[in-house]
Amino acid sequence: MSNDFYSAVKHRRTYYGISKESTVSDERIQEVISHAVLYTPSAFNSQSARVVLLLGEHHNKLWDITKETLRKIVPADQFASTDEKINSFRNGYGTVLFFEDDRVVQGLQEQFPLYADNFPIWSQQSSGMLQFVIWTSLEIEGLGASLQHYNPLIDDEVKKEWNIPNEWKLIAQMPFGKPTAEPGDKEKKPIEERLKIFK
């Protein structure tokens, strides 16, 4: 394995400070995401992951929808911090939306009833792998990102705005852009507490 892989895994972090600039072309972003969607593994090779890439005004629209949705449920006297947080995501260059296609999951449940309870779990695990691959790939390209979860609050508006099939279940949102601030240090628990080896 290349040291570049280890470096990318190590340096992938949560970036909240991002700008409306990109370090690479839109075509390169699309290429990176397409590669991840094609080659990230999934249980039974189900390929249930679905991704929507929002750039430009589409990216802005997502965070406008999120802000207005939250405005309806967050008390007015507490909304300032919410507004600031959503603006930090809107300040980015684009957003990756992660979905899982429930039709695929349900089809596998019907085809393999013995494992029916596991397919939704495996679907989430596959989505997590895809999120990590895309997040790390964006890091390699010099872009900072974070992972957000405003679903299911925004699900209906998102599906309506971008004509998303109803069977696609929104899992996460990943705003990204050129970093404007480095993340702080993160403490790591001793590896001895987290890894056991028997040989």
Side-chain angles (χ1 to χ4, degrees):
M1 279 189 282
S2 167
N3 284 333
D4 290 344
F5 172 76
Y6 295 117
S7 296
V9 170
K10 180 179 179 180
H11 292 114
R12 181 225 49 82
R13 292 289 306 279
T14 294
Y15 283 85
Y16 291 113
I18 53 176
S19 73
K20 287 200 177 297
E21 296 178 87
S22 179
T23 54
V24 293
S25 68
D26 292 353
E27 291 73 22
R28 178 59 179 163
I29 295 169
Q30 180 179 337
E31 181 182 12
V32 161
I33 292 173
S34 296
H35 190 273
V37 171
L38 283 172
Y39 297 110
T40 298
S42 57
F44 285 65
N45 194 32
S46 62
Q47 302 175 59
S48 56
R50 304 290 181 262
V51 171
V52 173
L53 174 61
L54 302 175
L55 299 172
E57 288 306 311
H58 293 282
H59 160 79
N60 293 338
K61 181 68 175 177
L62 172 75
W63 296 108
D64 291 343
I65 287 171
T66 305
K67 184 186 293 189
E68 293 313 308
T69 300
L70 292 172
R71 193 187 303 275
K72 296 172 186 173
I73 59 175
V74 176
D77 60 340
Q78 299 173 25
F79 191 72
S81 60
T82 298
D83 188 47
E84 184 178 350
K85 189 173 187 181
I86 299 303
N87 286 340
S88 74
F89 305 140
R90 194 182 190 278
N91 287 341
Y93 185 78
T95 301
V96 183
L97 300 180
F98 295 90
F99 298 84
E100 283 289 302
D101 191 335
D102 278 342
R103 290 172 298 192
V104 175
V105 177
Q106 290 165 8
L108 286 166
Q109 289 177 306
E110 292 167 6
Q111 190 176 355
F112 302 100
L114 186 62
Y115 303 114
D117 291 344
N118 288 327
F119 282 112
I121 299 169
W122 293 337
S123 166
Q124 291 286 334
Q125 291 171 345
S126 175
S127 180
M129 286 190 281
L130 178 61
Q131 292 162 34
F132 180 76
V133 171
I134 290 179
W135 198 346
T136 307
S137 299
L138 293 174
E139 160 66 33
I140 291 172
E141 300 299 330
L143 292 163
S146 68
L147 194 65
Q148 305 303 319
H149 301 91
Y150 289 98
N151 45 291
L153 294 173
I154 62 172
D155 289 23
D156 292 342
E157 283 295 316
V158 166
K159 288 180 178 180
K160 180 181 175 183
E161 180 67 27
W162 289 285
N163 196 27
I164 304 295
N166 194 49
E167 295 82 6
W168 290 20
K169 182 179 181 181
L170 183 59
I171 305 296
Q173 307 86 52
M174 184 178 287
F176 65 88
K178 184 177 179 181
T180 59
E182 290 297 315
D185 292 334
K186 183 169 279 192
E187 182 181 343
K188 302 290 184 189
K189 292 183 178 179
I191 192 66
E192 295 79 12
E193 294 180 10
R194 303 171 64 191
L195 173 65
K196 292 186 182 293
I197 301 172
F198 301 91
K199 61 180 181 177

